[in-house]
């Protein structure tokens, strides 16, 4: 199983409430995925600056003095905002690559969740409500966000097995379903130099999209080609800097419902996830067609 | 009319009360408010009750119905009226995937569109869809009638047995062993009856009939080398 929620705001006045609305949607999907949860939130960014969201199982030890040490290593000022097991590092956009490398050397136990101008990814093991509370998700603001509740089927219940997965700067992927050719694809992608850290099938899907885009494909083209190259069941929701996209496999047995009003576009694995949104009674509600790429952006 | 607030009193309470009604009950008319997409609303009813659900439902609404009349004043999630035996289910909005799956009898009316696999493995149920149906509808359909007033998606009637399919609009593609068949007077009569029961004013002559070519489900000795 697994649950997906997504919310893309058209009405700026709702932006302070993004976290609150997403939290409600996410916790409603707890019984589709009670073992771990994660969210990607697209908030405000600063021009020329990048955010690197990192996570550690020993946050006090790993994150305590990270900012000054990292700043020294890469020769720039690094800001840090700690959020439970995660921290958002703020630094010059041009230094992101160097920062990722330096973080790996300085703190091997740290996982990089995401990088980009606006994206922050938070994910942990636990009931979705508990995960949302740990990160104070309901108080987060932003333009759009994606959430995932996981019921593990083919790899362990761990932080790195939870979604969303970063697929590039300001991009992420969440998945409901199971890919059946992920072992073969993992070997092929790793031979081409892709970095894949878990035995999770979705991480392979994310690495596939990343690899396609590194080789010149747009996100839409990468999603299109995934219909050819990925075998199995999937409903994907992808987040981009200014919006989100949806793709279902041609069989489309993994559920998906969209709701749209003049204020927002919302995605839910089930209609239940949407019932608390304002004006949902009069929203246009429909199911995305199979094998069709949808995008909404600002 | 009895009113049941699902948000306040919960799902198990609803289905228990509805199951407790027998054929002699005088509490025949029920209204369920605040469904909020909940699963398994009004499943397994076996008395001639009339149940109106005031809003959209989640998975498996009205499943295994025997004799009740259930109306969803909204859209229905996956598996609405799954394995219905008798009675009727009306969805005012759209229905998600596998609506009416494995149904043995009764009438399912969907006033909007139905998603993929509508009527999969149907075994005698009648399904009337005012709008379109998605891909793989009537897959392995054994008996009963599926009426589609709009269009049908890919692979309609794949591996079909003896169900009758009537489609007014276009069919994106036919599944294995499903073919268009002649619309004879007796089929026009059957279709007219179904349209009347579903309260639809459509002309039977505008529909085309599809059914089994009967080449797939019988063992053919010429295919023995393929096994």
């Amino acid at each position: 199983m697994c649950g997906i929620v997504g919310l893309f705001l058209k009405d700026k006045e709702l932006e302070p409430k993004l976290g609150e609305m997403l939290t409600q949607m996410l916790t409603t999907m707890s019984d589709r995925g009670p073992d771990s949860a994660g969210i990607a939130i697209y908030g405000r960014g600063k021009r020329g600056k990048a955010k690197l969201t990192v996570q550690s199982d020993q946050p006090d030890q790993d994150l305590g003095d990270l900012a000054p040490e990292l700043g020294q290593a890469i020769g720039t000022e690094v800001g840090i905002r700690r959020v439970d097991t995660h921290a958002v590092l703020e630094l010059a956009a041009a230094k992101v690559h160097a920062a990722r490398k330096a973080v790996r050397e300085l703190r091997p136990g740290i996982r990089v969740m995401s990088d980009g101008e606006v994206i922050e990814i938070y994910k942990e093991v636990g009931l979705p409500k508990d995960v949302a509370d740990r990160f104070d998700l309901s108080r987060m603001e932003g333009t759009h966000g994606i959430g995932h509740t996981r019921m593990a089927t083919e790899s362990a219940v761990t932080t790195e097995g939870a979604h969303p997965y970063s697929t590039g700067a300001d991009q992420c992927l969440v998945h409901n379903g199971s890919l059946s050719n992920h072992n073969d694809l993992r070997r092929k992608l790793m031979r081409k130099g892709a970095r894949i850290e878990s035995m999770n099938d979705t991480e392979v899907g994310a690495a596939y999209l990343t690899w396609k885009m590194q080789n010149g494909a747009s996100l839409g083209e990468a999603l299109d080609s995934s219909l050819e190259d990925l075998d199995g069941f999937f409903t994907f929701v992808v987040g981009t800097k200014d919006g989100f996209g949806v793709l279902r496999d041609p069989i489309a047995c993994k559920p998906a419902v969209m709701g749209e009003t003049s204020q927002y576009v919302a995605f839910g694995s089930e209609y239940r996830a949407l019932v608390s949104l304002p004006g949902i009674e009069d929203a246009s509600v429909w199911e995305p067609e199979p094998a069709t790429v949808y995008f909404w952006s600002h | 009319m009895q009113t049941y607030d699902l948000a306040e009193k919960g799902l198990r309470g609803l289905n228990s009360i509805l199951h407790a009604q027998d054929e002699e009950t005088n509490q025949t008319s029920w209204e369920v408010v605040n469904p909020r997409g909940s699963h398994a609303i009004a499943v397994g009813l076996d008395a001639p009750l009339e149940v109106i659900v005031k809003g959209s439902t989640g998975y498996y609404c009205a499943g295994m119905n025997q004799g009740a009349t259930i109306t969803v004043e909204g859209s229905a999630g996956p598996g609405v009226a799954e394995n219905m035996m008798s009675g009727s289910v009306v969805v005012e909005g759209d229905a998600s995937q596998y609506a009416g799956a494995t149904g043995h009898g009764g009438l399912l009316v969907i006033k909007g569109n139905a998603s993929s696999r509508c009527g999969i493995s149907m075994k005698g149920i009648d399904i009337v869809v005012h709008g379109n149906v998605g891909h793989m509808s009537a897959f392995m359909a054994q008996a009963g009638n599926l009426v589609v007033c709009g269009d049908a998606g890919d692979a309609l009637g794949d591996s079909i047995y003896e169900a009758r399919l009537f489609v007014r609009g276009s069919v994106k593609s036919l599944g294995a062993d499903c073919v268009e068949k002649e619309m004879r007077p007796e089929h026009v009569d059957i279709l007219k009856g179904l349209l009347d029961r579903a309260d639809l004013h459509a002309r039977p002559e505008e529909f085309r009939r599809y059914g089994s070519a009967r080449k797939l489900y019988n063992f053919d000795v010429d295919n023995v080398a393929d096994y």
Side-chain angles (χ1 to χ4, degrees):
Chain A
M1 210 133 57
C2 287
I4 300 177
V5 297
L7 187 59
F8 167 81
L9 299 177
K10 300 180 191 174
D11 181 351
K12 278 192 183 307
E13 286 185 13
L14 286 178
E15 288 181 11
K17 289 187 168 175
L18 178 75
E20 192 186 325
M21 292 156 83
L22 262 182
T23 304
Q24 180 80 41
M25 296 169 77
L26 190 76
T27 50
T28 307
M29 289 292 95
S30 290
D31 43 8
R32 293 192 69 89
D35 64 43
S36 35
I39 51 133
I41 198 119
Y42 291 81
R44 296 217 176 281
K46 291 181 194 149
R47 196 169 287 273
K49 293 278 188 181
K51 294 184 200 177
L52 201 62
T53 308
V54 296
Q55 180 271 354
S56 169
D57 293 338
Q58 279 102 31
D60 288 335
Q61 189 186 314
D62 279 344
L63 304 176
D65 300 320
L66 179 63
E69 283 185 48
L70 178 62
Q72 200 169 13
I74 61 172
T76 187
E77 200 178 317
V78 176
I80 186 165
R81 178 164 44 90
R82 293 262 313 260
V83 189
D84 196 69
T85 52
H86 290 48
V88 181
L89 303 167
E90 193 179 90
L91 45 102
K95 294 281 188 180
V96 167
H97 196 67
R100 287 184 83 114
K101 191 161 169 274
V103 165
R104 229 171 7 244
E105 283 161 8
L106 290 168
R107 302 282 194 276
I110 279 184
R111 303 179 182 100
V112 176
M113 302 276 108
S114 64
D115 74 70
E117 191 180 316
V118 289
I119 193 175
E120 293 168 23
I121 288 180
Y122 301 90
K123 57 187 186 185
E124 273 304 349
V125 170
L127 275 174
K129 183 181 181 313
D130 297 341
V131 173
D133 286 348
R134 284 174 74 167
F135 299 126
D136 217 0
L137 169 62
S138 62
R139 291 160 67 105
M140 290 185 189
E141 302 184 4
T143 52
H144 55 295
I146 291 170
H148 185 271
T149 62
R150 179 170 188 235
M151 186 181 284
T153 49
E154 46 46 74
S155 66
V157 178
T158 56
T159 307
E160 60 264 46
H163 307 209
Y165 286 97
S166 168
T167 53
D170 281 318
Q171 284 180 354
C172 71
L173 170 75
V174 298
H175 170 212
N176 176 19
S178 54
L179 303 178
S180 40
N181 63 339
H182 65 102
N183 282 328
D184 186 38
L185 200 55
R186 182 184 293 106
R187 277 193 296 273
K188 286 179 181 162
L189 289 168
M190 286 176 83
R191 217 173 291 135
K192 292 176 198 294
R195 212 176 125 87
I196 300 175
E197 290 168 7
S198 73
M199 293 308 288
N200 183 278
D201 58 341
T202 309
E203 190 185 9
V204 175
Y208 169 82
L209 295 177
T210 306
W211 173 71
K212 275 280 175 189
M213 289 186 283
Q214 281 167 354
N215 285 279
S218 67
L219 180 58
E221 287 165 350
L223 285 171
D224 260 336
S225 62
S226 72
L227 288 168
E228 273 302 308
D229 293 334
L230 301 182
D231 187 17
F233 297 118
F234 53 88
T235 290
F236 286 147
V237 176
V238 295
T240 68
K241 190 176 170 188
D242 53 6
F244 78 89
V246 173
L247 173 66
R248 304 174 79 191
D249 70 75
I251 305 293
C253 65
K254 293 297 169 187
V257 182
M258 306 289 315
E260 183 166 9
T261 71
S262 58
Q263 289 186 295
Y264 58 79
V265 180
F267 177 97
S269 290
E270 298 175 29
Y271 178 73
R272 274 191 305 159
L274 312 183
V275 293
S276 298
L277 293 173
I280 191 69
E281 304 77 20
D282 302 316
S284 151
V285 175
W286 81 99
E287 288 190 2
E289 293 285 324
T292 306
V293 178
Y294 294 83
F295 270 111
W296 289 268
S297 61
H298 287 295
Chain B
M1 169 86 75
Q2 315 288 315
T3 297
Y4 188 96
D5 188 336
L6 200 61
E8 198 185 303
K9 296 183 189 162
L11 178 69
R12 284 182 184 226
L14 171 70
N15 284 329
S16 302
I17 287 182
L18 296 177
H19 293 168
Q21 312 302 320
D22 58 23
E23 294 210 344
E24 259 77 82
T25 182
N26 51 18
Q27 295 185 334
T28 55
S29 190
W30 292 79
E31 184 182 69
V32 181
V33 298
N34 287 320
R36 295 170 68 82
S38 300
H39 301 173
I41 294 173
V43 294
L45 305 194
D46 58 357
L49 307 176
E50 190 176 320
V51 179
I52 297 171
V53 184
K54 308 289 281 183
S56 293
T57 62
Y59 281 81
Y60 308 125
C61 179
M64 300 178 284
N65 180 38
Q66 190 163 309
T69 300
I70 299 160
T71 303
V72 178
E73 290 186 350
S75 290
V80 66
E82 190 172 70
N83 210 52
M84 175 150 59
M85 304 304 287
S86 62
S88 74
V89 175
V90 178
V91 179
E92 302 277 358
D94 297 330
S96 186
Q97 54 182 327
Y98 46 93
T102 74
H104 290 250
L107 174 69
L108 168 63
V109 179
I110 296 157
K111 294 195 173 174
N113 299 314
S115 180
S116 58
R117 293 172 277 274
C118 180
I120 182 171
S121 197
M122 54 195 277
K123 296 174 173 69
I125 188 175
D126 293 322
I127 304 175
V128 181
V129 182
H130 289 210
N132 307 324
V133 296
H135 64 277
M136 296 298 278
S137 288
F139 177 46
M140 297 206 305
Q142 289 143 58
N145 299 288
L146 171 64
V147 179
V148 182
C149 297
D151 303 329
D154 268 321
L156 176 72
D158 193 287
S159 308
I160 188 173
Y161 293 82
E162 291 304 305
R164 298 182 201 94
L165 314 179
F166 300 100
V167 183
R168 182 163 65 172
S170 65
V171 173
K172 197 167 177 194
S173 67
L174 290 172
D177 211 34
C178 184
V179 292
E180 186 174 350
K181 294 188 158 185
E182 184 193 358
M183 190 82 156
R184 295 194 300 269
E186 68 262 35
H187 303 119
V188 173
D189 288 345
I190 290 169
L191 180 55
K192 190 170 181 320
L194 287 163
L195 292 169
D196 286 346
R197 283 169 63 203
D199 220 6
L200 246 169
H201 305 290
R203 293 174 52 221
E205 298 77 23
E206 292 173 354
F207 288 75
R208 291 165 174 239
R209 179 171 75 101
Y210 303 87
S212 178
R214 302 187 177 114
K215 289 188 175 162
L216 196 59
Y217 68 81
N218 283 326
F219 177 71
D220 184 341
V221 74
D222 291 340
N223 294 334
V224 72
D226 295 333
Y227 293 97

PDB file of all heavy atoms in Angstrom, chain B residues 77-92:
ATOM      1  N   GLY B  77     -15.593   5.433  -4.316  1.00  0.00           N
ATOM      2  CA  GLY B  77     -14.218   4.957  -4.457  1.00  0.00           C
ATOM      3  C   GLY B  77     -14.170   3.577  -5.101  1.00  0.00           C
ATOM      4  O   GLY B  77     -15.176   3.080  -5.615  1.00  0.00           O
ATOM      5  N   PRO B  78     -12.994   2.934  -5.064  1.00  0.00           N
ATOM      6  CA  PRO B  78     -12.835   1.639  -5.735  1.00  0.00           C
ATOM      7  C   PRO B  78     -13.799   0.579  -5.203  1.00  0.00           C
ATOM      8  O   PRO B  78     -14.123   0.552  -4.020  1.00  0.00           O
ATOM      9  CB  PRO B  78     -11.383   1.257  -5.411  1.00  0.00           C
ATOM     10  CG  PRO B  78     -10.686   2.555  -5.166  1.00  0.00           C
ATOM     11  CD  PRO B  78     -11.715   3.435  -4.521  1.00  0.00           C
ATOM     12  N   GLY B  79     -14.256  -0.288  -6.112  1.00  0.00           N
ATOM     13  CA  GLY B  79     -15.016  -1.470  -5.714  1.00  0.00           C
ATOM     14  C   GLY B  79     -16.434  -1.208  -5.249  1.00  0.00           C
ATOM     15  O   GLY B  79     -16.972  -1.971  -4.450  1.00  0.00           O
ATOM     16  N   VAL B  80     -17.076  -0.158  -5.767  1.00  0.00           N
ATOM     17  CA  VAL B  80     -18.462   0.076  -5.343  1.00  0.00           C
ATOM     18  C   VAL B  80     -19.351  -1.071  -5.838  1.00  0.00           C
ATOM     19  O   VAL B  80     -19.158  -1.589  -6.940  1.00  0.00           O
ATOM     20  CB  VAL B  80     -18.985   1.450  -5.856  1.00  0.00           C
ATOM     21  CG1 VAL B  80     -19.088   1.504  -7.366  1.00  0.00           C
ATOM     22  CG2 VAL B  80     -20.328   1.795  -5.233  1.00  0.00           C
ATOM     23  N   ALA B  81     -20.268  -1.507  -4.980  1.00  0.00           N
ATOM     24  CA  ALA B  81     -21.219  -2.584  -5.302  1.00  0.00           C
ATOM     25  C   ALA B  81     -20.517  -3.867  -5.737  1.00  0.00           C
ATOM     26  O   ALA B  81     -21.038  -4.637  -6.534  1.00  0.00           O
ATOM     27  CB  ALA B  81     -22.217  -2.139  -6.369  1.00  0.00           C
ATOM     28  N   GLU B  82     -19.338  -4.092  -5.171  1.00  0.00           N
ATOM     29  CA  GLU B  82     -18.612  -5.316  -5.511  1.00  0.00           C
ATOM     30  C   GLU B  82     -19.406  -6.528  -5.055  1.00  0.00           C
ATOM     31  O   GLU B  82     -19.981  -6.555  -3.975  1.00  0.00           O
ATOM     32  CB  GLU B  82     -17.242  -5.288  -4.810  1.00  0.00           C
ATOM     33  CG  GLU B  82     -16.314  -6.389  -5.274  1.00  0.00           C
ATOM     34  CD  GLU B  82     -14.909  -6.204  -4.713  1.00  0.00           C
ATOM     35  OE1 GLU B  82     -14.724  -6.373  -3.511  1.00  0.00           O
ATOM     36  OE2 GLU B  82     -14.017  -5.865  -5.488  1.00  0.00           O
ATOM     37  N   ASN B  83     -19.466  -7.533  -5.897  1.00  0.00           N
ATOM     38  CA  ASN B  83     -20.155  -8.796  -5.594  1.00  0.00           C
ATOM     39  C   ASN B  83     -21.622  -8.625  -5.163  1.00  0.00           C
ATOM     40  O   ASN B  83     -22.117  -9.324  -4.292  1.00  0.00           O
ATOM     41  CB  ASN B  83     -19.385  -9.577  -4.519  1.00  0.00           C
ATOM     42  CG  ASN B  83     -19.573 -11.064  -4.673  1.00  0.00           C
ATOM     43  OD1 ASN B  83     -19.366 -11.609  -5.756  1.00  0.00           O
ATOM     44  ND2 ASN B  83     -20.010 -11.724  -3.627  1.00  0.00           N
ATOM     45  N   MET B  84     -22.319  -7.714  -5.825  1.00  0.00           N
ATOM     46  CA  MET B  84     -23.748  -7.534  -5.513  1.00  0.00           C
ATOM     47  C   MET B  84     -24.519  -8.783  -5.942  1.00  0.00           C
ATOM     48  O   MET B  84     -24.246  -9.380  -6.990  1.00  0.00           O
ATOM     49  CB  MET B  84     -24.287  -6.298  -6.244  1.00  0.00           C
ATOM     50  CG  MET B  84     -25.789  -6.121  -6.062  1.00  0.00           C
ATOM     51  SD  MET B  84     -26.367  -4.403  -6.114  1.00  0.00           S
ATOM     52  CE  MET B  84     -25.851  -3.878  -7.719  1.00  0.00           C
ATOM     53  N   MET B  85     -25.523  -9.140  -5.114  1.00  0.00           N
ATOM     54  CA  MET B  85     -26.351 -10.312  -5.417  1.00  0.00           C
ATOM     55  C   MET B  85     -27.700  -9.884  -6.010  1.00  0.00           C
ATOM     56  O   MET B  85     -28.206 -10.490  -6.945  1.00  0.00           O
ATOM     57  CB  MET B  85     -26.608 -11.136  -4.152  1.00  0.00           C
ATOM     58  CG  MET B  85     -25.349 -11.582  -3.427  1.00  0.00           C
ATOM     59  SD  MET B  85     -24.217 -12.523  -4.466  1.00  0.00           S
ATOM     60  CE  MET B  85     -25.086 -14.077  -4.600  1.00  0.00           C
ATOM     61  N   SER B  86     -28.292  -8.839  -5.397  1.00  0.00           N
ATOM     62  CA  SER B  86     -29.585  -8.338  -5.879  1.00  0.00           C
ATOM     63  C   SER B  86     -29.794  -6.942  -5.303  1.00  0.00           C
ATOM     64  O   SER B  86     -29.002  -6.482  -4.489  1.00  0.00           O
ATOM     65  CB  SER B  86     -30.706  -9.284  -5.434  1.00  0.00           C
ATOM     66  OG  SER B  86     -30.754  -9.330  -4.023  1.00  0.00           O
ATOM     67  N   GLY B  87     -30.884  -6.297  -5.691  1.00  0.00           N
ATOM     68  CA  GLY B  87     -31.131  -4.937  -5.232  1.00  0.00           C
ATOM     69  C   GLY B  87     -30.559  -3.949  -6.233  1.00  0.00           C
ATOM     70  O   GLY B  87     -30.315  -4.304  -7.393  1.00  0.00           O
ATOM     71  N   SER B  88     -30.329  -2.708  -5.771  1.00  0.00           N
ATOM     72  CA  SER B  88     -29.751  -1.757  -6.711  1.00  0.00           C
ATOM     73  C   SER B  88     -28.877  -0.739  -5.995  1.00  0.00           C
ATOM     74  O   SER B  88     -29.074  -0.436  -4.820  1.00  0.00           O
ATOM     75  CB  SER B  88     -30.845  -1.068  -7.532  1.00  0.00           C
ATOM     76  OG  SER B  88     -31.508  -0.132  -6.732  1.00  0.00           O
ATOM     77  N   VAL B  89     -27.897  -0.264  -6.736  1.00  0.00           N
ATOM     78  CA  VAL B  89     -26.973   0.749  -6.224  1.00  0.00           C
ATOM     79  C   VAL B  89     -26.887   1.852  -7.277  1.00  0.00           C
ATOM     80  O   VAL B  89     -26.690   1.558  -8.462  1.00  0.00           O
ATOM     81  CB  VAL B  89     -25.577   0.150  -5.954  1.00  0.00           C
ATOM     82  CG1 VAL B  89     -24.598   1.240  -5.546  1.00  0.00           C
ATOM     83  CG2 VAL B  89     -25.649  -0.933  -4.874  1.00  0.00           C
ATOM     84  N   VAL B  90     -27.083   3.085  -6.851  1.00  0.00           N
ATOM     85  CA  VAL B  90     -27.001   4.223  -7.769  1.00  0.00           C
ATOM     86  C   VAL B  90     -25.910   5.164  -7.278  1.00  0.00           C
ATOM     87  O   VAL B  90     -25.916   5.559  -6.105  1.00  0.00           O
ATOM     88  CB  VAL B  90     -28.354   4.985  -7.845  1.00  0.00           C
ATOM     89  CG1 VAL B  90     -28.226   6.203  -8.765  1.00  0.00           C
ATOM     90  CG2 VAL B  90     -29.458   4.060  -8.329  1.00  0.00           C
ATOM     91  N   VAL B  91     -24.980   5.502  -8.157  1.00  0.00           N
ATOM     92  CA  VAL B  91     -23.936   6.473  -7.822  1.00  0.00           C
ATOM     93  C   VAL B  91     -24.231   7.738  -8.622  1.00  0.00           C
ATOM     94  O   VAL B  91     -24.221   7.708  -9.856  1.00  0.00           O
ATOM     95  CB  VAL B  91     -22.530   5.927  -8.164  1.00  0.00           C
ATOM     96  CG1 VAL B  91     -21.459   6.956  -7.826  1.00  0.00           C
ATOM     97  CG2 VAL B  91     -22.273   4.618  -7.439  1.00  0.00           C
ATOM     98  N   GLU B  92     -24.485   8.828  -7.920  1.00  0.00           N
ATOM     99  CA  GLU B  92     -24.845  10.068  -8.636  1.00  0.00           C
ATOM    100  C   GLU B  92     -23.642  10.681  -9.351  1.00  0.00           C
ATOM    101  O   GLU B  92     -23.782  11.332 -10.375  1.00  0.00           O
ATOM    102  CB  GLU B  92     -25.415  11.098  -7.641  1.00  0.00           C
ATOM    103  CG  GLU B  92     -26.632  10.630  -6.859  1.00  0.00           C
ATOM    104  CD  GLU B  92     -27.930  10.798  -7.634  1.00  0.00           C
ATOM    105  OE1 GLU B  92     -27.895  11.314  -8.763  1.00  0.00           O
ATOM    106  OE2 GLU B  92     -28.989  10.395  -7.111  1.00  0.00           O
TER     107      GLU B  92
END
